[in-house]
Amino acid sequence: MGSGMPTTTQHDPDETPTEKTAETDELTIRPTGGADGAAMWRLARDSGSLDLNASYTYLLLARHFGTTCRVALLGEKAVGYVLGYRPPERPGSLFIWQVAVSSDARGRGLAGRMIQDVLDDHPDIGALEATVTESNLASRALFEGIARRHDASLTWRPFIREEDFPDGHEAEPMLEISPLSQH
Ligand SMILES: CC(C)(COP(=O)(O)OP(=O)(O)OC[C@H]1O[C@@H](n2cnc3c(N)ncnc32)[C@H](O)[C@@H]1OP(=O)(O)O)[C@@H](O)C(=O)NCCC(=O)NCCS
């Protein structure tokens, strides 16, 4: 999906070829480890729209859910991440808690490529879930694009209502994309 940056999905440096161009550093998308949490926290802080959680949250989730999280690196620099996990009561689903791409790397399909990389590694995942506020048009377009590419339906249901939040937060309805049969 997408175009622009050359990409290497690099899980095993010994088996994956690398790509370089004169203009750009190599792009790597890989599962996260504990140390990635710091860069994820910085990307969330600089995203302009995400709720910034405690740095501990990112350090913890990057470690505990590394196989369903991704970080994208341009050269040595983290330019995007996906924080996802399988809800314990629905292990066949992938819940995307946060996804962010640095402003200079947006609009080239990177967010979708990171999510697809998780799906590629987990062929048993049959549905994708996320909460997205009504005002987040880029995020809505991202998930609509994933549904379109998988030829899957995208449905919405109420999830966390505005009145559930203690701090005047916008409602977070839940979207579900399924079935994801052709990864
Ligand atoms: C949402 C976000 C992760 C998308 O990352 P990205 O790599 O730029 O996404 P893509 O390039 O794959 O674009 C996805 C779709 O959104 C569209 N899009 C991008 N920016 C948009 C904008 N500002 N308004 C409307 N649509 C937009 C693209 O055209 C594309 O649509 P298409 O698939 O029909 O071509 C990125 O904008 C971001 O980090 N935003 C701040 C953090 C955030 O809001 N995260 C989501 C909530 S968890």
Side-chain angles (χ1 to χ4, degrees):
M1 62 166 288
S3 59
M5 287 181 283
T7 182
T8 304
T9 299
Q10 202 166 45
H11 299 179
D12 179 347
D14 291 325
E15 73 179 25
T16 309
T18 58
E19 293 177 51
K20 272 186 186 290
T21 70
E23 298 85 15
T24 60
D25 285 320
E26 177 193 331
L27 182 77
T28 306
I29 296 173
R30 61 158 171 76
T32 60
D36 294 316
M40 293 155 104
W41 180 87
R42 284 189 201 96
L43 285 162
R45 180 194 62 190
D46 299 340
S47 70
S49 57
L50 285 179
D51 291 339
L52 181 61
N53 297 276
S55 53
Y56 176 76
T57 316
Y58 297 89
L59 289 160
L60 187 75
L61 297 184
R63 183 182 298 258
H64 280 175
F65 297 112
T67 64
T68 49
C69 294
R70 290 293 181 273
V71 64
L73 302 158
L74 202 48
E76 303 279 302
K77 188 184 161 212
V79 292
Y81 72 86
V82 172
L83 267 173
Y85 63 89
R86 296 171 186 253
E89 67 279 15
R90 291 185 308 287
S93 295
L94 174 69
F95 177 73
I96 304 291
W97 178 52
Q98 283 192 334
V99 49
V101 170
S102 66
S103 52
D104 51 352
R106 286 181 194 165
R108 295 182 234 175
L110 183 52
R113 278 148 75 178
M114 289 190 288
I115 292 171
Q116 187 57 44
D117 198 60
V118 178
L119 296 176
D120 288 345
D121 271 5
H122 300 271
D124 60 313
I125 289 177
L128 194 111
E129 301 176 357
T131 70
V132 183
T133 58
E134 199 168 345
S135 59
N136 196 333
L137 300 181
S139 186
R140 286 185 172 234
L142 164 68
F143 288 107
E144 282 160 12
I146 292 172
R148 205 169 50 240
R149 284 188 292 278
H150 282 264
D151 199 19
S153 350
L154 189 159
T155 54
W156 289 94
R157 62 181 162 89
F159 187 59
I160 304 179
R161 302 165 305 166
E162 198 171 326
E163 57 267 37
D164 295 332
F165 284 100
D167 52 1
H169 194 290
E170 198 179 345
E172 291 272 2
M174 174 80 86
L175 67 80
E176 183 181 90
I177 298 171
S178 74
L180 298 175
S181 48
Q182 304 149 0
H183 291 194

